[in-house]
Amino acid sequence: MGYKTDWFTGIFPALVTPFEGNGGVDEEAYRKLIRFVLPNVDGVVPCGTTGEFSYMSLEERKRTIELCLDEAGGRVPVLAGTGCTTTRDTVALTGWAKEAGADGALVVAPYFLKPSFNEVYDHFRAVDEVGLPIVMYNIPQCAGTHFKWWTAEGGLLDFEQTIGIKDSSGDLPFMEALFEKVKGKVSIFVGHDEVVQAALAAGADGAILASANLIPDIWQKVYRATQEGDLATAQRWQQDVQKLVRIVVRCGANQACKEGLRMMGVDVGDSRHPIVPGGAFRREDREELRLQLEALGKITKSPVMYDLGDKQVMTDLFATHHTPDTIDGWTMKVGEGFAGPPFQELAHVDLLIGLKDGPVGRAVERSLEEWGEDRGLRTISGHPQTLLVPTVTIRTDRQRELFERAAAGVKLAIDLSIEDGFLPEPILDDVALIVNAFVHPAASIGQRVEFNNYKATRHAIRKAIEGRPTVDELIKEKAAARHPFRYAP
């Protein structure tokens, strides 16, 4: 038997849902998001997991699906997320979506109470009777149930309206079993962003992805290259986005996608509670996501003025909504960075940047005169002048060796900040830096100490330059405020 439909193949973003501050869906932001992804996708999914469907009322879900149908305007199919915890509600919402004009429904297995396979079967049999094409949604990490291949072969995918399955388990052996048992009967979608190219090359018909909110064009390149047999190109693109998608998948996909979109100029707000900014998607994850978007060309450089008082310098920065048009206040700038795990090799950096003839420059000179290298202080760069200070007193040769690795990481962060424009060449002789770097006394992996200190310092430099976190950020993140060493022994 051939496919029941030719509509459901290719790249489908699991759209995030923009919310208004006082409740409800931000309709204009949602339309803007759909317009942003439409040129590079084969369909769209409102009210999926990334769309926070489980945090929405049924009325909000209906309105969101209506908006998506209207904005898509028939240009691509709309696969509406209609799964609920109960069979009754799932049937009702799926029936409503059919009447509203949805092309199909993405229906997650009933979640939370972990029904048996027979109960899952009966659930989907009831939904099938609605008469709307269904893509069954397997996400065991959220739903608590897993469509084992024998369940699929035993009838789940033979329902009249079942035209596909989305597998977000990341379980490639399970997906291979699906290809063995049901390939050619229904469409098989990969839903785990970290294994997209491998799944497509193995025979998946498409992908429904959280990260397709951010990089739909790149996923389209992966899909097209795989379809054309150019596996080398597809593999290269997967490798290029692998760190970005790892951050999204493992660090709170909803908020990660929303913050990434905001950095790219598409403001879709924040997730609903209990998800909060700075929680599952941590501040250090945000900084790493930004670097990945820059590397992929999703955040472009813009001119920014560095005003040092008696000297003005124009530079090009990877600017986001946080980046001021003019960066002044060079008496003293403060930044903080944190990177880890593992725990013993984590890095925490406090950083000061200021004019050499100001308080920071004088502090560098005074510190070297009064304490010097016998206390572990050392100058690691003269351009810009940079003083490295250990947080923990160095007492052993091993600690000294690891602090040298930390120094190498700090120096690399400074060099790359010069390269990307955050420390522009014309100001380097005018400013001084003090970097207070933490190396855990129990650390042992030198490479990790170096890498974590590089990441923490690079983030700290950007925060200092841009004046982050802002007051608004701090207020927004107060519910997730955590000191990195709060629970340290």
Side-chain angles (χ1 to χ4, degrees):
M1 182 173 64
Y3 287 131
K4 297 175 182 177
T5 178
D6 294 326
W7 273 95
F8 295 106
T9 58
I11 301 300
F12 286 56
L15 296 169
V16 299
T17 306
F19 298 116
E20 293 180 329
N22 58 354
V25 178
D26 186 335
E27 298 190 3
E28 182 51 42
Y30 197 52
R31 289 182 181 277
K32 183 177 180 181
L33 171 65
I34 294 167
R35 291 194 293 269
F36 172 73
V37 301
L38 270 184
N40 295 294
V41 301
D42 300 292
V44 287
V45 179
C47 301
T49 301
T50 312
E52 301 177 68
F53 77 91
S54 58
Y55 295 168
M56 300 168 68
S57 70
L58 286 175
E59 290 308 310
E60 286 175 327
R61 292 175 71 177
K62 290 178 180 179
R63 181 57 184 155
T64 301
I65 294 167
E66 285 178 338
L67 289 167
C68 190
L69 286 165
D70 183 62
E71 193 62 42
R75 287 171 286 180
V76 297
V78 173
L79 187 63
T82 62
C84 302
T85 51
T86 70
T87 302
R88 178 196 60 200
D89 289 343
T90 305
V91 167
L93 187 57
T94 304
W96 178 91
K98 177 185 177 183
E99 295 302 316
D103 299 281
L106 179 69
V107 183
V108 69
Y111 49 93
F112 191 74
L113 291 183
K114 301 180 182 179
S116 70
F117 290 127
N118 283 346
E119 289 166 332
V120 170
Y121 179 91
D122 289 340
H123 172 84
F124 279 108
R125 179 167 58 184
V127 178
D128 180 75
E129 292 173 0
V130 171
L132 181 67
I134 297 169
V135 174
M136 294 180 176
Y137 182 12
N138 183 43
I139 182 167
Q141 58 269 42
C142 293
T145 55
H146 197 353
F147 297 150
K148 296 298 185 182
W149 64 263
W150 56 82
T151 305
E153 186 183 31
L156 270 180
L157 297 180
D158 282 334
F159 289 132
E160 182 66 28
Q161 296 299 326
T162 301
I163 52 88
I165 183 168
K166 174 193 177 184
D167 177 47
S168 294
S169 68
D171 183 350
L172 287 177
F174 166 66
M175 183 162 276
E176 286 287 357
L178 283 178
F179 297 147
E180 174 198 355
K181 303 297 181 183
V182 299
K183 178 71 174 175
K185 296 182 179 180
V186 297
S187 296
I188 300 173
F189 285 90
V190 56
H192 196 292
D193 308 51
E194 294 182 81
V195 298
V196 172
Q197 191 277 326
L200 290 173
D205 299 287
I208 300 173
L209 305 169
S211 60
N213 285 276
L214 300 171
I215 51 170
D217 56 331
I218 295 178
W219 285 129
Q220 193 64 247
K221 290 176 182 178
V222 172
Y223 176 72
R224 296 295 178 192
T226 304
Q227 292 294 103
E228 294 165 5
D230 186 359
L231 295 185
T233 296
Q235 289 166 354
R236 186 183 73 249
W237 277 114
Q238 178 79 49
Q239 291 161 9
D240 287 347
V241 303
Q242 195 66 13
K243 185 172 182 179
L244 180 149
V245 302
R246 185 163 61 244
I247 293 169
V248 168
V249 169
R250 301 185 187 184
C251 304
N254 315 78
Q255 185 67 14
C257 287
K258 287 186 171 185
E259 295 207 32
L261 284 164
R262 185 156 54 236
M263 285 186 260
M264 296 163 61
V266 183
D267 192 348
V268 289
D270 294 305
S271 294
R272 276 187 167 166
H273 287 188
I275 305 299
V276 295
F281 183 60
R282 304 166 300 171
R283 297 301 88 207
E284 54 268 31
D285 299 323
R286 180 195 180 281
E287 301 303 319
E288 287 297 309
L289 180 63
R290 177 180 178 177
L291 288 170
Q292 294 307 305
L293 290 171
E294 291 172 6
L296 293 169
K298 300 304 177 184
I299 299 175
T300 57
K301 286 192 171 184
S302 302
V304 174
M305 171 70 76
Y306 278 47
D307 185 355
L308 279 65
D310 59 355
K311 183 177 184 178
Q312 289 76 43
V313 172
M314 288 297 298
T315 186
D316 288 330
L317 297 185
F318 289 109
T320 72
H321 59 294
H322 283 304
T323 311
D325 294 330
T326 299
I327 297 173
D328 52 17
W330 288 89
T331 300
M332 183 185 298
K333 292 182 170 295
V334 180
E336 180 190 37
F338 176 69
F343 178 75
Q344 287 83 0
E345 281 71 38
L346 60 79
H348 180 245
V349 164
D350 288 306
L351 177 141
L352 299 176
I353 305 177
L355 297 174
K356 288 178 71 173
D357 59 2
V360 176
R362 290 194 294 271
V364 171
E365 294 177 2
R366 184 175 176 181
S367 298
L368 289 173
E369 289 173 1
E370 297 186 6
W371 292 308
E373 294 195 10
D374 59 322
R375 295 283 294 273
L377 281 67
R378 52 173 295 189
T379 301
I380 61 171
S381 174
H383 189 70
Q385 183 182 27
T386 304
L387 177 67
L388 185 62
V389 182
T391 303
V392 177
T393 302
I394 298 173
R395 301 186 185 280
T396 68
D397 289 342
R398 180 57 177 162
Q399 287 177 324
R400 186 170 292 105
E401 177 186 341
L402 289 174
F403 196 67
E404 290 296 321
R405 297 299 297 266
V410 172
K411 181 64 166 60
L412 176 61
I414 292 171
D415 290 344
L416 290 178
S417 296
I418 294 171
E419 183 179 307
D420 66 22
F422 276 87
L423 291 174
E425 187 72 33
I427 76 165
L428 298 185
D429 291 330
D430 300 291
V431 299
L433 283 73
I434 300 176
V435 181
N436 187 211
F438 172 82
V439 177
H440 196 286
S444 61
I445 306 172
Q447 183 181 23
R448 202 67 199 167
V449 168
E450 181 174 337
F451 184 61
N452 285 343
N453 273 275
Y454 150 71
K455 291 203 295 185
T457 304
R458 196 166 187 197
H459 301 166
I461 290 171
R462 289 179 170 218
K463 289 179 180 178
I465 295 296
E466 294 180 331
R468 294 189 288 115
T470 64
V471 173
D472 287 344
E473 281 184 286
L474 290 171
I475 292 172
K476 189 165 65 172
E477 295 174 12
K478 65 181 180 180
R482 306 283 189 273
H483 191 283
F485 302 121
R486 182 174 178 182
Y487 302 111

